[in-house]
Amino acid sequence: MPTSRSRVALTAALAATVLAGLAGCAGDSAATTPAAAAALPLVTPGTLTVATDATYAPMESMKGSEFVGADIDLVADLAHRMGLKVVFVQVGFDDLIDTVSAHKADLIASSMTDRASRQEQVDFVDYFIAGSQAIAAGGNPHGLDGPGTWCGRTAAVNSGTTNGDLVVAQSGLCTAAGKPPITVREVPNGQSAAEVAAGRADFGVEDYPSAADLVTASGGQTVLAGKPLQPAPYGFGIAKDRTALRDAVQRALQESIAAGRYTEVLKAHGVEAAALTTTALNGGA
């Protein structure tokens, strides 16, 4: 089984859908001058073509024929600051890096973890920190606040994921300390909150964005328990030979952070806990 999306690419086919994204965003200043925008190396002059696998709410997904999510709104704002239109292209996650490296798209915006192995093919402008996030029943009745409080509890998790590996490793630490192990209840990715709400598990573990979305959708039946664990940065991926575009994206992101629009977008999608206060290039390990 695949590991969590933030750790390893998921298998999906290249889709043919190309849709225009949001163009209007807050902010009057421009991170890129008109002359500099015209000189940027782009698939289509004046347009930022963005490759995304829109299957991962609340970061990027489809609402009818429209691309929606935190990544979508963030990139729309960056394009506006760069003086560009934006077009989103649906691409399978496995094909994102090749698509951008081959200059078939300008930018990856798809909750992709910035890792050293991926930096060999693309440069990343880091914009978000994600990790594994525990989910508990509403009110957190067991007082779960970090892995040390999981001993003796039942976890709903996909054992073939990074999140599952985290629970199994913690269970070993529990027994080594003379405490009861964690009982693992096997569920698909995205299903742990339902198991917790139904009382079949004491907690679940999902990637932070997915966990935040599931908790919001539960209407108070579940809550986030503790802070994200093993955090790693998500990055916007850009072909390594397009340094001017990379630098323009980083300037626009820093401007968005300073102006407050960046935080507004993350809050609107319920993932503000993963916000950065400054940008970085290739900050992943």
Side-chain angles (χ1 to χ4, degrees), residues 120-215:
E120 296 175 1
Q121 298 172 275
V122 294
D123 283 332
F124 288 100
V125 177
D126 297 337
Y127 67 95
F128 192 85
I129 290 288
S132 298
Q133 174 66 57
I135 299 169
N140 195 3
H142 301 298
L144 302 178
D145 186 22
T149 63
W150 297 351
C151 301
R153 299 297 176 185
T154 297
V157 70
N158 187 324
S159 62
T161 65
T162 299
N163 300 324
D165 292 344
L166 176 62
V167 171
V168 171
Q170 180 58 42
S171 185
L173 294 175
C174 291
T175 56
K179 299 178 181 180
I182 300 168
T183 300
V184 174
R185 184 176 180 86
E186 182 72 23
V187 297
N189 280 331
Q191 296 299 312
S192 69
E195 294 296 297
V196 172
R200 291 187 289 266
D202 298 316
F203 72 98
V205 183
E206 302 279 350
D207 285 355
Y208 169 73
S210 179
D213 193 51
L214 291 168
V215 165

Side-chain angles (χ1 to χ4, degrees), residues 41 73 75 103 136 160 165 167 195 213 221 232-233 256 258 265 270 276:
D73 290 347
V75 171
H103 300 169
D165 292 344
V167 171
E195 294 296 297
D213 193 51
Q221 289 185 295
S256 183
V265 168
L276 294 176

Side-chain angles (χ1 to χ4, degrees), residues 85-158:
K85 298 179 181 178
V86 61
V87 170
F88 294 97
V89 183
Q90 171 64 29
V91 176
F93 200 88
D94 271 352
D95 297 315
L96 287 169
I97 288 178
D98 287 345
T99 297
V100 166
S101 296
H103 300 169
K104 296 178 181 178
D106 302 309
L107 182 81
I108 297 167
S110 200
S111 302
M112 181 173 284
T113 298
D114 173 2
R115 298 190 310 196
S117 59
R118 289 173 173 157
Q119 293 167 16
E120 296 175 1
Q121 298 172 275
V122 294
D123 283 332
F124 288 100
V125 177
D126 297 337
Y127 67 95
F128 192 85
I129 290 288
S132 298
Q133 174 66 57
I135 299 169
N140 195 3
H142 301 298
L144 302 178
D145 186 22
T149 63
W150 297 351
C151 301
R153 299 297 176 185
T154 297
V157 70
N158 187 324

